[in-house]
């Protein structure tokens, strides 16, 4: 199980690193092109923002949902164990 979690973290880091390349290119292009509204003036800007949203959601949403589920399971477990002792 530990190995699978480690591989998942590695995959997520590769996704973030892969996203950083076009984001850096876009930021450089927007700076040197003196774009006032880089996202609305450029199709590439919209693609970068949408991909950021998708990658961020795909990374953080499972982590948050897993933390909430584990917290709920732990709460229910200790509550159940407390009732058995009475």
């Amino acid at each position: 199980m530990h190995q699978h979690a480690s591989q998942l973290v590695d995959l997520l880091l590769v996704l973030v690193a892969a996203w950083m390349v076009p984001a850096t290119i876009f930021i450089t292009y927007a700076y040197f092109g003196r774009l006032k509204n880089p996202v609305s003036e450029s199709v590439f800007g919209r693609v970068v923002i949408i991909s950021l949203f998708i990658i961020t959601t795909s990374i953080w949403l499972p982590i948050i949902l897993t933390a909430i589920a584990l917290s709920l399971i732990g709460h229910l477990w200790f509550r159940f164990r407390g009732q058995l002792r009475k």
Side-chain angles (χ1 to χ4, degrees), residues 21-23 25-27 29 38-39 41-49:
V21 172
I25 291 170
F26 174 69
I27 290 169
Y29 164 74
V39 174
E41 293 179 17
S42 169
V43 174
F44 186 65
R46 290 184 191 120
V47 170
V48 168
I49 296 301

Side-chain angles (χ1 to χ4, degrees), residues 9 14 18 23 30 34 43-44 49-50 52 56 59-60 76 80 83:
V9 169
V14 167
R34 292 182 179 30
V43 174
F44 186 65
I49 296 301
I50 290 170
L52 169 66
T56 303
I59 291 172
W60 288 109
L76 294 174
F80 175 73
Q83 288 180 354

Side-chain angles (χ1 to χ4, degrees), residues 26-38 41:
F26 174 69
I27 290 169
T28 306
Y29 164 74
Y31 177 75
F32 288 114
R34 292 182 179 30
L35 299 178
K36 292 181 182 177
N37 299 314
E41 293 179 17

Side-chain angles (χ1 to χ4, degrees), residues 1-9 66 70:
M1 183 67 178
H2 177 69
Q3 181 180 3
H4 295 294
S6 177
Q7 289 174 347
L8 179 62
V9 169
T66 303
L70 289 175

